[in-house]
Amino acid sequence: MERKSLIKKSIFVVIVILLLIRLTSLAFKESANVTDKLVKHFEVSQEDIISSGKEIIIKSFDDITNVTWLSVDKLVIEGDIDGKFDSYLFDMTSYELMLYDEADYVPENFEDYEIVKEIPGYGLLATKDKSIGLINDLAYTEILEDISYNDKLNYKLSDDMSKLLVYHAEKNTLVTYNFEKSFYRTIKAPVDEELLEHFQKRAQISPLGGYVSVEYHTDLIEESYFRIYGADSGKLYAEDVFGVNMSWAPDDTYVCYFYSKELQALDKPVFEDMNYIGRRIGYYDVEHKTIDYIDVVEDEKIISQIYWSDHTATTLVGEVTENIEIQSVLAYDFDTESYSDWQLDLEPYPLDTSVDLLNDFEAMLLEIQTSTNTQMIRLIKETGQVQLYEDVKAFDTKEDQNLYFYQVNDRFIMADQVQITVSNGMSQGFILLDDKSYMVLPNDDLSRVGVWFTHLNEIKILNVE
């Protein structure tokens, strides 16, 4: 009996040992399977790409000859990496640098097209000959065949890129196109030669694409008027309202204009394209479909265009005689229905002066350019203090030189000796300037801003959002 008991115990021990060996083997195999990973092989080394929060630094190149935004999140860089000169693509969604094959993004006869802008989700808006259309999946789909007048293509894109306003040459009409719905709407607005000659100034589609406004200028500027139509419905919202120089609020809620009955025509344009100055600004309230007026300026005139920041409309007040006298900055806040009027004590400027205004968080910034000088003036909102803003330095983009600020809606770029400052309307970001030789590269909607250091052959990219 004792021998049988010993045999049973031995068998049990052997079985336990075998089970332990089997379990250990399975566990090891499972562990081995878990840790077995595929290694991605990059066609271009990623070692010299540094990511630090919202900033990307690309140090991969021995030489860079050109940098261009292909879309809001793709950057094409022409340059030399380890002796191989080629076109490279940096993708902001994957943070990967790769070889760029143009055939993957545009048709073979790319030189026949003029790219206007990327419409996210729908392709590249482009023109070809007299037509306008979308490039998607390497194919060009025409929106309208002929949008030309006297060899100029007449079209407007809404700021949010949802709608397109075009001139339909075959039918001599205005047409809106909704990208999301692939929907056309004929706007039954009168179209004459005067409108077509000045299409870029007279015909507008509102920032969010809800409305179309059209100005009709007459020989007597006092008789000039405008109309407003629904961009999708074609419905007439405002008819033959006396006003010119229309300016839409960023969210389509209001449109301001110069009341034409109280305009003074000028012999020579001031501030580049102002042919008149006025005493009253009218506004159309889209939600309530009403017209009202901002208070009359009693002794002075409104002498500049209307600048928007959220629901605040701002303009310059002064006199135009042999010179331009800028006397104050007048702002009206539609939310609080209140005025702010900051007095300026500036020397007169010649008639060929150009001016631009930026409404920042704490201050107004005026860029005043004469033929010989650029003056930057900072107006502190809270105190009304006026100061020369000498810390601001001019910078270059690929399209423009000597810019003191670059603005898209409420986002803007400025520079000083040390850094590039980018504001998204709520907060600010910074790109340190590692070298004095650089070019600023904003994408279309200012969601990302690149700086190309031309001597260092390096690129910094700031994610603004």
Side-chain angles (χ1 to χ4, degrees), residues 276-380:
Y276 40 75
I277 54 180
R279 294 186 62 244
R280 189 193 295 257
I281 288 181
Y283 65 89
Y284 177 72
D285 185 323
V286 177
E287 180 182 356
H288 299 100
K289 299 179 177 60
T290 57
I291 292 172
D292 207 339
Y293 297 91
I294 296 175
D295 284 351
V296 174
V297 180
E298 294 294 342
D299 299 321
E300 297 119 0
K301 302 289 193 307
I302 300 162
I303 62 172
S304 79
Q305 69 178 64
I306 300 160
Y307 303 91
W308 282 95
S309 177
D310 198 15
H311 280 178
T312 299
T314 306
T315 190
L316 301 180
V317 173
E319 289 286 351
V320 176
T321 53
E322 293 83 9
N323 297 296
I324 299 174
E325 296 181 23
I326 305 175
Q327 297 168 345
S328 67
V329 176
L330 176 67
Y332 181 73
D333 187 328
F334 284 90
D335 291 336
T336 61
E337 298 182 346
S338 61
Y339 294 89
S340 298
D341 190 0
W342 296 279
Q343 297 299 309
L344 301 173
D345 183 17
L346 304 176
E347 295 294 324
Y349 296 95
L351 293 177
D352 61 353
T353 298
S354 65
V355 66
D356 206 353
L357 182 145
L358 176 66
N359 194 342
D360 199 359
F361 301 113
E362 299 176 348
M364 298 277 189
L365 187 64
L366 280 172
E367 176 189 347
I368 303 174
Q369 280 190 326
T370 68
S371 58
T372 58
N373 184 43
T374 298
Q375 192 176 44
M376 301 300 295
I377 295 172
R378 192 165 184 258
L379 171 61
I380 310 300

Side-chain angles (χ1 to χ4, degrees), residues 202-252:
R202 308 285 168 78
Q204 295 187 53
I205 186 162
S206 60
L208 301 186
Y211 304 90
V212 171
S213 59
V214 187
E215 296 181 28
Y216 298 94
H217 289 217
T218 62
D219 291 337
L220 287 174
I221 191 67
E222 294 87 352
E223 300 299 321
S224 299
Y225 61 94
F226 67 84
R227 295 180 179 181
I228 297 176
Y229 300 83
D232 283 331
S233 66
K235 176 183 175 182
L236 185 62
Y237 277 79
E239 182 177 13
D240 299 354
V241 179
F242 290 113
V244 296
N245 195 32
M246 302 181 71
S247 180
W248 283 91
D251 62 356
D252 285 12

Side-chain angles (χ1 to χ4, degrees), residues 45-195:
S45 173
Q46 310 296 303
E47 290 184 1
D48 294 319
I49 299 172
I50 304 167
S51 175
S52 56
K54 290 190 173 184
E55 186 179 74
I56 302 293
I57 306 174
I58 303 173
K59 297 186 174 185
S60 308
F61 290 84
D62 300 316
D63 185 36
I64 297 175
T65 58
N66 194 20
V67 186
T68 305
W69 285 102
L70 178 67
S71 66
V72 293
D73 55 15
K74 291 182 174 62
L75 195 66
V76 177
I77 308 166
E78 296 177 15
D80 183 291
I81 298 179
D82 297 332
K84 180 178 174 58
F85 184 88
D86 215 325
S87 292
Y88 298 84
L89 178 72
F90 184 73
D91 191 333
M92 289 292 299
T93 58
S94 62
Y95 298 104
E96 181 180 345
L97 184 66
M98 63 194 81
L99 288 170
Y100 171 60
D101 186 353
E102 188 176 272
D104 291 338
Y105 295 92
V106 295
E108 290 182 6
N109 55 344
F110 176 62
E111 64 274 6
D112 295 340
Y113 299 88
E114 183 73 29
I115 304 300
V116 177
K117 189 169 286 190
E118 180 197 22
I119 310 299
Y122 303 100
L124 299 174
L125 183 66
T127 60
K128 181 184 180 184
D129 298 327
K130 295 181 179 181
S131 72
I132 191 166
L134 286 169
I135 296 174
N136 194 16
D137 292 332
L138 306 185
Y140 177 71
T141 302
E142 201 169 71
I143 294 174
L144 275 179
E145 181 180 5
D146 187 356
I147 62 169
S148 67
Y149 175 78
N150 285 350
D151 297 325
K152 292 189 301 183
L153 302 186
N154 287 326
Y155 63 90
K156 288 284 190 71
L157 182 65
S158 63
D159 289 348
D160 69 346
M161 295 183 285
S162 66
K163 308 274 179 60
L164 184 68
L165 172 66
V166 290
Y167 169 59
H168 191 181
E170 181 183 351
K171 296 185 178 181
N172 194 39
T173 59
L174 301 181
V175 173
T176 58
Y177 179 76
N178 185 316
F179 292 104
E180 181 182 1
K181 299 178 180 178
S182 301
F183 175 75
Y184 298 82
R185 170 64 69 185
T186 297
I187 304 298
K188 295 181 180 179
V191 176
D192 55 23
E193 290 187 6
E194 203 275 340
L195 172 61

